[in-house]
C-alpha cells in the first residue's frame, strides 16, 4: 500500500477531496493511504508559529524550517521520498508520476506565503517539484495534482490493470484520443447539428482503431527531466 503524507497549514483544503469516490474507495480497499498533517501541530510555541520575516528584508513572510523538520521526522518511514513544492523546482511530468508510483511513501511539503526557508530544500527534501511555469498561492493543489497522477498508476485504483495497460504506449506514455457518447446528434438550436464521427458508429473495429490512432496523442512519452 502506498502512503501519501501531506504537510500543510490548511488541512481543510483536502477534506472533500479525500471523500471523492475513487480516492475514497482506493483508501477503503487499502491500495493507498492519504494522511494530512497540520504543520501547526509541530510547532513548540503557544501561538503555533509557522512563519517569520525574511532575512535580508523584503515583503511577506517565510515558512520556518523547525516545524517542517519536526513534521518530516515524525512522519518519515524507511522508504519515504520527501517532496517540496516550489515554482523553482523540477517540472513534474508523467515520467515522474511513474517513478513515484513505485514508492512506499511520498511526503509532500506544501508552501504558503513568500515561500519556505531554503534549508528545507537543501537538507530535508529529496526533490523540489514544480507543477508548471506559474506561481500558485500554495502547494496544496500541487499535492492533489501529484496524487491524481500517481494514484491512478497503482494497480486496482482506477479498475483493472488490463485497462491501464491498454492505454499505455511502449515507452510508457498514455494514449489519449477523443471520446463521444449518446446522443449521436445533438441540436443546441434549430438547424444546428453536432454529430458524432460516422466511423465510431460503424461497428467496424479496424476503422475505429485507425481513426483513434490518427487522432491520439501520447502524453508523457517524450517527457524530459
Ligand atoms: N517566491 C516564492 C518561491 O520562490 O517559492 C513563491 C511562493 S508561492 C506564493 C507559495 C507556495 O506555493 C510555494 O512555496 C510552493 O509550495 C507553492 N507553489 C507556487 N507555485 C508552484 C508551482 N508552480 N508548483 C508547485 N508549487 C507551487
Amino acid at each position: 500500500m502506498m502512503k501519501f503524507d501531506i504537510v500543510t497549514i490548511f488541512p481543510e483544503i483536502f477534506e472533500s477531496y479525500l471523500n471523492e469516490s475513487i480516492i475514497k474507495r482506493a483508501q477503503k480497499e487499502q491500495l493507498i493511504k492519504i494522511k494530512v498533517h497540520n504543520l501547526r501541530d509541530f510547532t513548540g510555541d503557544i501561538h503555533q508559529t509557522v512563519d517569520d520575516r525574511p532575512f535580508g528584508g523584503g515583503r511577506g513572510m517565510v515558512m520556518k524550517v523547525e516545524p517542517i523538520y519536526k513534521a518530516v521526522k515524525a512522519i518519515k518511514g524507511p522508504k519515504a521520498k520527501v517532496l517540496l513544492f516550489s515554482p523553482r523546482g523540477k517540472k513534474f511530468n508523467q515520467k515522474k508520476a511513474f517513478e513515484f508510483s513505485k514508492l512506499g511513501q511520498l511526503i509532500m511539503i506544501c508552501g504558503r506565503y513568500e515561500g519556505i526557508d531554503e534549508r528545507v530544500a537543501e537538507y530535508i527534501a529529496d526533490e523540489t517539484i514544480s507543477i508548471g511555469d506559474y506561481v500558485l498561492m500554495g502547494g496544496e493543489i500541487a499535492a492533489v495534482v501529484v496524487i491524481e497522477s500517481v494514484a491512478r498508476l497503482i494497480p486496482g485504483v482506477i479498475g483493472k490493470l488490463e485497462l491501464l495497460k491498454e492505454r499505455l504506449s511502449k515507452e510508457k506514455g498514455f494514449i489519449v484520443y477523443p471520446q463521444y457518447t449518446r446522443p449521436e446528434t445533438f441540436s443546441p438550436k434549430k438547424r444546428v447539428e453536432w454529430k458524432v464521427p460516422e466511423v465510431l458508429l460503424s461497428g467496424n473495429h479496424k476503422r475505429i482503431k485507425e481513426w483513434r490512432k490518427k487522432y491520439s496523442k501520447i502524453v508523457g512519452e517524450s517527457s524530459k527531466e
Side-chain angles (χ1 to χ4, degrees), residues 162-201:
E162 290 72 37
L163 188 78
L164 194 67
K165 279 187 182 157
E166 196 184 285
R167 294 289 171 86
L168 275 178
S169 73
K170 266 192 230 121
E171 285 77 18
K172 285 201 149 188
F174 271 101
I175 305 165
V176 289
Y177 45 77
Q179 300 275 18
Y180 296 84
T181 187
R182 284 186 291 182
E184 290 175 17
T185 303
F186 173 61
S187 295
K189 57 185 176 188
K190 263 190 197 162
R191 290 190 291 281
V192 175
E193 290 186 333
W194 297 350
K195 288 180 179 295
V196 171
E198 173 277 324
V199 59
L200 298 180
L201 311 171

Side-chain angles (χ1 to χ4, degrees), residues 102-145:
K102 307 278 185 306
L103 297 169
Q105 187 186 15
L106 194 58
I107 300 171
M108 293 176 277
I109 304 166
C110 306
R112 280 272 156 178
Y113 314 124
E114 280 308 305
I116 301 177
D117 187 313
E118 192 63 16
R119 284 168 289 188
V120 174
E122 286 170 15
Y123 301 107
I124 300 174
D126 297 308
E127 272 188 57
T128 303
I129 292 286
S130 160
I131 61 159
D133 206 6
Y134 37 74
V135 180
L136 304 167
M137 290 192 275
E140 287 75 13
I141 298 304
V144 171
V145 167

Side-chain angles (χ1 to χ4, degrees), residues 42-71:
F42 299 92
T43 52
D45 62 316
I46 192 156
H47 301 294
Q48 299 191 300
T49 310
V50 290
D51 60 329
D52 209 335
R53 283 170 300 172
F55 280 127
R59 283 150 62 112
M61 300 297 269
V62 175
M63 287 175 76
K64 290 161 70 65
V65 62
E66 301 103 308
I68 295 174
Y69 174 78
K70 281 188 194 159

Side-chain angles (χ1 to χ4, degrees), residues 11-78:
E12 305 81 16
I13 290 179
F14 299 93
E15 272 169 22
S16 70
Y17 178 66
L18 296 181
N19 278 310
E20 181 270 317
S21 63
I22 296 177
I23 290 296
K24 194 175 174 181
R25 183 182 48 78
Q27 290 188 89
K28 206 168 159 209
E29 291 175 5
Q30 302 200 342
L31 300 168
I32 58 171
K33 188 173 180 187
I34 304 174
K35 221 167 163 207
V36 184
H37 307 267
N38 189 340
L39 186 62
R40 293 193 194 279
D41 294 342
F42 299 92
T43 52
D45 62 316
I46 192 156
H47 301 294
Q48 299 191 300
T49 310
V50 290
D51 60 329
D52 209 335
R53 283 170 300 172
F55 280 127
R59 283 150 62 112
M61 300 297 269
V62 175
M63 287 175 76
K64 290 161 70 65
V65 62
E66 301 103 308
I68 295 174
Y69 174 78
K70 281 188 194 159
V72 171
K73 196 163 176 245
I75 299 163
K76 198 173 176 185

